[in-house]
């Protein structure tokens, strides 16, 4: 889905020339990591291990799909980690409160999921409207909401941990730990979000408008595009993606605290950038973001399995890969 | 002049990738002369200028300075030798002051610190000689485009310049500023400075240049004394064929042609006050005025591109366009005067650019790229976009082709009122003529056209009626027939004005 959309290609030679080789660097990096992992540890290529990696990449990956829209539209959202923590805490408290016998445990979880998705939309809309209607820099607005959401979850938890009622945990557990057709539920969710995101970004007017706005907002405005509306919607999508990640995350630990989701915003942005999306906006691909999220998760996994480098250096390796990825893509974006 | 040339190019060629854009061109610039370079867009004028001033290395041939072959490592080396190029896109740092820009990179020092009083004095003196009243401590961001241009010229003059290369310098200047610039050019040449001058405006070249080198498709057609050529001969040699009439015939507007767009008492705060006008189907309404008179702002205000209040009627119905999309749905389209910053996604391909404004026609519900591609190919044929390949970025096109793409983008929305803001700015004479004839075709289809232009000949050549603005106010609405430039200028400069905005006979109704 990444090949630039051109008229029917006349020959294989022309086709080859049109393959966006530079955009394939993230994929090459992923393949390289897999090869290195396979060479270094026999357990690496087992399906258990690989599904483990994919499951762990699902949180950041889903958030990063939303982040791809925001960044391509010329914005940035720093609040996603705090937003995830706040939504987790609020969801758990809400479900605990509803669990008084009037609703079945399944009903409680369903209501909780519905409300958290709605709250994600609202939180994203709040970011988006402050940016577009309030005409404040995205960096500033989301830096502000980063602090607000983080302090709200700390307040809700009264400085400690919010735990989900045990009766509800049993019902909710399969959403993270279960699997369907042998594939873990979070991986399914990641795949569905990524496919829907890719269709929205690459095949619809909305996606084209997001890219146009990120490329040059004035040109978009003069082309009669509702710039403020579209930009706000990118943050709404981001909020929804965070909420989906929360729905998957809460059953994993069954708790939320002030340290939930710390630095997720940086990992999500890193996944988007490693995936080849320009930080200044205008162009990018969902599939790249997916590759970026999986790569981040793979790095930790390879370091865990092998003892060549201390796993405490995970952040160092990730950092080097982020910088390296942007270095390799520089030729296409700069001049 | 008995002197030999200061600077010459011998057999200069330039290739970008596999494409040679300049083919073995000889040119020489003598001290004290104004040497014009003319040609259609893409003829190689700017490229030739950049080879001579060290911005690009030549692919073949050599640059000769004072009789000796030189190879400038970069534009700084050329500037050190006294060859300075003033860019089409100005090269100033917006957040620095006028003085800081003029001395950027070679600030006068005293005791190890920048000697700002000295720099300010020197800058003020320079600007005084240019008769430009700009405070030297003002940031360039706050200047008008024409003021910034004068600062750019001051910057060039401040460096012991021997050859001053100017690329379309008057494009953004008002008539008075152009006169100041020409005075300066005459003074510089009197001091023995040579001027290399690129312009599309043939009347300017007749007025200021001594010799002219004509380029066509990267080939040199010849160098002539300007006194030996008429503008028509110059244009003919540029395009390589006889230019028939520049403008299409102006069919009369039928008496019963309905009013398509009517603006009444429109205020655009800070720019326009109480503007009223109307345009009928099949009519071209010219909008004349000096730079800064509020012409662009009037229509941007009416179309929801900037805050405004007043009454607007489309086909007799009152409308309130809060956003450009509202105007689009009412089939009104506006062509921006700033095609690079507001008209084109330069980093995107032509297909995405041409369908941007009418994407809903290609989404069912997913964007049909094949249909888009067909629309692009149709538009390229209809507007005669001359490129080897259509799958390139918009930035790769020449100005004329870019303008055709922007125009095609507007027309894909099938508007019946089209507002063209400086549609031929920076465009060669052949493309201009194509655009004029396209306007003629629109009229035949019953489209109403508003033509905002600083080029009076095209206003007089196309418009049935002319609205003239001065300082945010419509000073006159004139009949296009028998109109002359002097009359329009009298209204544009505020020397004359009609007692009341005489555009409307209908009683005033305010929303």
């Amino acid at each position: 889905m990444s090949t630039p959309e051109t008229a029917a290609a006349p020959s294989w030679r022309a086709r080859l020339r049109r393959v966006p080789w530079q955009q394939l660097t993230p994929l090459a990096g992923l393949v390289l990591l897999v090869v290195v992992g396979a060479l270094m540890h026999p357990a690496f290529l087992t399906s258990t291990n690989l599904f483990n990696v994919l499951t762990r990449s699902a949180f950041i990956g889903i958030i990063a799909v939303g982040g791809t829209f925001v960044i391509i539209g010329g914005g940035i959202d720093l609040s996603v980690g705090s937003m995830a923590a706040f939504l987790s805490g609020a969801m758990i408290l809400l479900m605990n409160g509803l669990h008084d016998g009037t609703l079945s445990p399944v009903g409680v979880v369903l209501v909780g999921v519905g409300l958290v998705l709605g709250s994600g939309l609202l939180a994203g809309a709040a970011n988006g409207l402050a940016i577009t209607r309030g005409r404040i820099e995205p960096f500033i607005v989301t830096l502000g909401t980063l602090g607000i959401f983080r302090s709200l979850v700390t307040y809700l938890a009264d400085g400690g941990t919010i735990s989900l009622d045990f009766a509800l945990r049993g019902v909710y557990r399969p959403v993270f730990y279960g699997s369907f057709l042998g594939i873990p539920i979070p991986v399914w969710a990641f795949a569905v979000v990524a496919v829907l995101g890719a269709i929205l970004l690459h095949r619809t007017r909305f996606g084209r408008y997001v890219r146009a706005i990120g490329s040059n907002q004035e040109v978009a405005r003069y082309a009669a595009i509702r710039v403020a509306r579209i930009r706000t919607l990118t943050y709404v999508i981001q909020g929804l993606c965070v909420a989906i990640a929360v729905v998957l995350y809460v059953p994993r630990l069954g708790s939320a605290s002030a340290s939930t989701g710390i630095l997720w915003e940086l990992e999500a942005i890193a996944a988007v950038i490693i995936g080849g999306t320009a930080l200044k906006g205008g162009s990018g691909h969902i599939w790249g973001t997916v590759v970026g999220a999986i790569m981040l998760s793979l790095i930790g996994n390879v370091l865990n399995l092998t003892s060549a480098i201390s796993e405490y250096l995970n952040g160092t390796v990730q950092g080097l890969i982020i910088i390296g990825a942007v270095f390799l893509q520089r030729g296409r974006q700069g001049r | 002049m008995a002197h030999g040339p200061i600077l010459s190019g011998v057999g200069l060629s330039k290739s970008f990738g596999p494409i040679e854009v300049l083919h073995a061109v000889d040119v020489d610039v003598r001290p004290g002369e104004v040497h014009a370079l003319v040609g259609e867009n893409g003829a190689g004028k700017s490229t030739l200028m950049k080879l001579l001033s060290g911005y690009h290395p030549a692919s073949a041939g050599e640059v000769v300075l004072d009789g000796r072959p030189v190879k400038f490592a970069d534009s700084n080396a050329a500037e050190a030798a006294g060859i300075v190029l003033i860019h089409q896109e100005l090269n100033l740092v917006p957040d620095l002051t006028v003085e800081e820009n003029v001395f950027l990179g070679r600030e006068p020092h005293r005791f190890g610190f920048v000697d700002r009083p000295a720099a300010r004095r020197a800058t003020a003196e320079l600007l005084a000689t240019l008769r430009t009243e700009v405070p030297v401590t003002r940031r360039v961001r706050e200047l008008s485009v024409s003021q910034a241009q004068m600062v750019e010229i001051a910057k060039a003059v401040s460096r012991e310049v021997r050859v001053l290369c100017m690329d379309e310098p008057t494009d953004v200047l008002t008539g008075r500023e152009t006169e100041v610039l020409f005075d300066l050019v005459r003074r510089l040449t009197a001091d023995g400075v040579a001027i290399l001058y690129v312009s599309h405006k043939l009347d300017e070249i007749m007025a200021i240049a001594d010799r002219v080198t004509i380029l066509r498709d990267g080939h040199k057609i010849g160098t002539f004394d300007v006194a030996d050529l008429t503008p028509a001969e110059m244009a003919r040699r540029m395009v390589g064929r006889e230019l028939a009439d520049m403008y299409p015939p102006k069919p009369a507007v039928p008496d019963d042609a309905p009013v398509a767009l009517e603006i009444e008492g429109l205020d655009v705060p800070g720019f326009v006050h109480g503007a009223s006008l109307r345009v009928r189907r099949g009519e071209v309404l010219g909008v004349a005025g000096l730079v800064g008179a509020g012409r662009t702002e009037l229509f941007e205000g009416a179309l929801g591109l900037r805050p405004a209040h007043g009454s607007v009627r489309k086909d007799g119905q009152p409308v309130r366009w809060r956003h450009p999309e509202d105007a689009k749905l009412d089939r009104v389209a506006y062509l921006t005067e700033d095609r690079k910053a507001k008209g084109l996604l330069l980093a995107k391909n032509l297909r995405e650019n041409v369908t941007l404004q009418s994407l809903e026609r290609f989404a069912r519900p997913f964007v049909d790229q094949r249909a888009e591609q067909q629309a692009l190919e149709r538009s390229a044929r209809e507007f005669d976009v001359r490129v080897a390949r259509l799958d390139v970025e918009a930035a790769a096109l020449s100005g004329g082709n870019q303008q055709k793409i922007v125009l095609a983008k507007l027309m894909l929305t099938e508007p019946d009122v089209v507002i063209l803001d400086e549609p031929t700015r920076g465009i060669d004479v052949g493309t201009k003529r194509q655009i004029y004839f396209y306007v003629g075709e629109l009229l035949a289809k019953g489209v109403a056209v508003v033509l905002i232009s600083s080029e009076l000949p095209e206003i007089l050549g196309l418009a049935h009626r002319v609205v003239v603005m001065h300082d945010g106010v419509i000073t006159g609405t004139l009949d296009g027939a028998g109109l002359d430039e002097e009359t329009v200028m009298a209204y544009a400069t505020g020397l004359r004005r009609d007692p009341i905005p005489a555009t409307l006979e209908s009683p005033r109704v305010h929303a």
Side-chain angles (χ1 to χ4, degrees), chain B residues 285-496:
Chain B
L285 177 70
V287 181
L290 303 178
V291 172
R295 297 168 299 171
T296 295
E297 289 80 2
L298 194 172
F299 288 95
E300 289 191 348
L303 267 68
L305 281 157
R306 55 171 76 230
H309 37 88
S311 116
V312 178
R313 276 188 291 276
K314 170 79 201 311
D315 297 327
Q317 299 298 313
V319 288
R320 181 88 181 84
W321 296 322
R322 292 168 192 279
H323 187 278
E325 191 187 29
D326 299 334
K328 180 177 104 172
L329 295 175
D330 282 330
R331 301 170 49 119
V332 178
Y334 168 73
L335 177 86
T336 171
E337 61 173 337
D338 192 348
R339 73 176 158 261
K340 284 196 173 147
K342 295 170 181 167
L344 281 173
L345 298 171
L346 293 172
K348 297 283 180 200
N349 62 36
L350 301 184
R351 176 175 54 77
E352 291 190 31
N353 268 292
V354 86
T355 60
L356 189 64
Q357 202 152 339
S358 55
L359 203 55
E360 65 279 357
R361 291 163 191 260
F362 301 92
R364 35 182 105 117
F366 298 123
V367 176
D368 182 348
Q369 291 173 355
R370 188 163 300 164
E372 281 188 281
Q373 184 67 27
Q374 287 163 358
L376 171 63
E377 286 163 14
R378 258 197 320 278
S379 293
R381 273 196 303 277
E382 183 184 356
F383 288 92
D384 189 27
V385 176
R386 294 178 197 170
V387 285
R389 308 160 49 142
L390 285 171
D391 59 342
V392 294
E393 293 178 356
L397 299 194
S398 69
N401 281 327
Q402 284 183 343
Q403 189 72 320
K404 288 173 177 175
I405 291 289
V406 183
L407 203 51
K409 171 175 84 167
L410 292 194
M411 297 319 297
L412 280 178
T413 68
E414 298 181 2
D416 53 24
V417 175
V418 180
I419 297 152
L420 304 174
D421 196 349
E422 303 286 2
T424 64
R425 176 179 283 172
I427 283 182
D428 63 83
V429 61
T431 307
K432 276 185 181 178
R433 184 169 177 278
Q434 287 181 319
I435 289 179
Y436 299 150
F437 275 75
Y438 184 72
V439 168
E441 289 172 32
L442 290 180
L443 295 186
K445 290 181 196 156
V447 173
V449 178
V450 174
L451 173 71
I452 306 173
S453 177
S454 296
E455 295 201 29
L456 283 179
E458 74 186 26
I459 293 245
L460 300 180
L462 286 173
H464 295 93
R465 287 182 308 127
V466 180
V467 162
V468 191
M469 290 186 73
H470 169 70
D471 202 14
V473 174
I474 291 180
T475 47
T477 302
L478 315 169
D479 193 334
L483 194 59
D484 58 53
E485 298 199 13
E486 286 70 29
T487 311
V488 176
M489 281 316 291
Y491 283 93
T493 51
L495 293 177
R496 279 177 70 178

